[in-house]
Amino acid sequence: TEYLKRFAYKNAETDDFRRVLEEASGVSLGLFFEQSFLKGGYPEFDVEYAWDQGKRMAQVWVKQVQQTDGLTPIFELPVDLVFYTRLGRHVKKVRVRGQSESYQFELDSEPTIVEFDPEGWLLKKLKFKKGYTMLSNQLLSSVDLLSRKSAAEDLASFKGPATIELLKEAASREQYWSARAQAITSIGKIGGADALEALLVFSRAKPRRVRRAAIAALAEFKGEERAVEALKGALLGDESPFNQCEAALSIGKIGAKDAVQVLTEAMKLESPENGLSEASLEALGYTKGKEAREIIRAHVPDGNPLRVRIGALKGYDKLGSLEPEDLEMLKEMAVKD
């Protein structure tokens, strides 16, 4: 408010904004503005953790592995390290200053969960390899949504029925749809008969965004007729236009034998702003066939609805190649459309 009052109808610079924030907070923000506004890039962290039972000590190593140059520095940043022990959740605030840092914390017991910036305050990339047990604890017990989503994503590398059951539990009881969706996505990546059964159930779930995640994950099951039939049902019958569009894309990805016919018919269905036609044309690109190319080509020229034309261009992208006729048409569009 003070910034708006002081500079109303005036020119202002970034440093003016910084000074007002410093006056209000009493905190020096020079380094933050230097790194966030005047420099480029972002930190890429490689984090490792170990427990010393004899010393009852948690050890954390943090490396910054981003490519540095005159624009992208080694960042100096405050970070929350979080440990869950028998006595509860412990937040340790540290400051990362160098390319490689190490921290030690004496705790009451071995942590069941260890997290690095679990609330996602930092713009970053993070590699933090953890074992199955710790990821399971994190998925089911962390208080932070982003941390639970991260655990669900990382668990996809642990194949087998036990992991699928764990992800099913999370996808069923999780409060937030985005974490449920990530658990369902990981089930699809694991694959196998148990995963397919789980996804077929979730594709009929009541929350539309949960169904959408399952519809997208079914694209992983090439050659599975039950998956294809479920996708066709969603394409024609789901009450959500977004889910219908996702089903169209998955039908193209899964390689259904009659994908071209099904998607062509779907283009005739009414949908808000021709969204389903757009998705169907994009999906046709995944089939890579001559017939699909001809349909895509026919929907690029001016005179087709805008979203339809955009879908056709996306279809070309998914086809992955251009014939001379396509190239000439797209060149003309680039110059004259």
Side-chain angles (χ1 to χ4, degrees), residues 92-159:
K92 306 293 185 181
K93 296 184 178 295
V94 301
R95 194 165 191 88
V96 176
R97 289 187 170 86
Q99 189 168 16
S100 180
E101 302 273 8
S102 63
Y103 308 93
Q104 294 184 332
F105 306 97
E106 188 174 351
L107 301 173
D108 61 277
S109 61
E110 183 176 359
T112 57
I113 300 174
V114 180
E115 298 168 328
F116 181 94
D117 186 34
E119 296 180 73
W121 289 108
L122 302 181
L123 175 65
K124 66 185 184 301
K125 282 187 178 180
L126 174 63
K127 179 182 177 183
F128 191 173
K129 189 174 181 179
K130 303 175 186 178
Y132 180 83
T133 300
M134 186 171 286
L135 286 173
S136 302
N137 295 334
Q138 183 174 322
L139 175 66
L140 298 178
S141 301
S142 175
V143 301
D144 293 300
L145 169 62
L146 292 179
S147 187
R148 297 196 299 275
K149 286 180 64 177
S150 175
E153 182 178 7
D154 291 345
L155 279 163
S157 62
F158 294 87
K159 310 294 183 181

Side-chain angles (χ1 to χ4, degrees), residues 7-265:
F7 293 98
Y9 308 107
K10 300 177 183 178
N11 292 328
E13 297 181 347
T14 301
D15 278 342
D16 297 318
F17 183 50
R18 174 183 58 79
R19 281 190 285 269
V20 172
L21 291 179
E22 289 178 335
E23 290 171 14
S25 66
V27 176
S28 174
L29 298 173
L31 179 61
F32 172 77
F33 273 75
E34 171 73 18
Q35 294 181 145
S36 301
F37 290 87
L38 304 179
K39 294 291 185 179
Y42 50 83
E44 298 181 29
F45 294 110
D46 192 342
V47 179
E48 296 182 11
Y49 155 80
W51 173 251
D52 187 326
Q53 182 62 37
K55 296 180 180 179
R56 304 179 74 80
M57 193 81 69
Q59 302 176 330
V60 179
W61 295 269
V62 179
K63 293 181 181 179
Q64 294 191 54
V65 296
Q66 69 272 13
Q67 185 68 42
T68 59
D69 52 32
L71 188 62
T72 303
I74 294 294
F75 291 85
E76 181 177 336
L77 297 163
V79 181
D80 288 346
L81 295 175
V82 180
F83 303 90
Y84 289 67
T85 70
R86 283 199 300 262
L87 296 182
R89 181 177 184 268
H90 310 276
V91 180
K92 306 293 185 181
K93 296 184 178 295
V94 301
R95 194 165 191 88
V96 176
R97 289 187 170 86
Q99 189 168 16
S100 180
E101 302 273 8
S102 63
Y103 308 93
Q104 294 184 332
F105 306 97
E106 188 174 351
L107 301 173
D108 61 277
S109 61
E110 183 176 359
T112 57
I113 300 174
V114 180
E115 298 168 328
F116 181 94
D117 186 34
E119 296 180 73
W121 289 108
L122 302 181
L123 175 65
K124 66 185 184 301
K125 282 187 178 180
L126 174 63
K127 179 182 177 183
F128 191 173
K129 189 174 181 179
K130 303 175 186 178
Y132 180 83
T133 300
M134 186 171 286
L135 286 173
S136 302
N137 295 334
Q138 183 174 322
L139 175 66
L140 298 178
S141 301
S142 175
V143 301
D144 293 300
L145 169 62
L146 292 179
S147 187
R148 297 196 299 275
K149 286 180 64 177
S150 175
E153 182 178 7
D154 291 345
L155 279 163
S157 62
F158 294 87
K159 310 294 183 181
T163 307
I164 293 174
E165 287 301 315
L166 177 66
L167 292 167
K168 281 170 58 179
E169 180 183 355
S172 299
R173 82 178 200 181
E174 169 64 50
Q175 179 180 359
Y176 296 100
W177 73 265
S178 60
R180 296 182 72 179
Q182 183 58 65
I184 289 168
T185 299
S186 290
I187 290 173
K189 290 181 178 180
I190 291 172
D194 292 336
L196 176 58
E197 292 297 332
L199 293 178
L200 290 174
V201 172
F202 284 122
S203 71
R204 300 187 294 272
K206 187 174 181 180
R208 68 185 186 279
R209 286 165 166 165
V210 172
R211 294 199 308 276
R212 186 177 181 183
I215 290 166
L218 283 170
E220 302 281 352
F221 292 83
K222 291 179 171 58
E224 288 285 353
E225 192 58 34
R226 294 174 67 199
V228 173
E229 290 304 313
L231 292 172
K232 289 179 181 178
L235 175 65
L236 299 176
D238 199 287
E239 64 184 16
S240 166
F242 292 104
N243 289 8
Q244 289 181 290
C245 292
E246 197 69 61
L249 292 171
S250 287
I251 286 172
K253 294 174 185 177
I254 204 171
K257 295 177 182 178
D258 56 350
V260 173
Q261 177 185 344
V262 171
L263 293 169
T264 303
E265 289 298 316

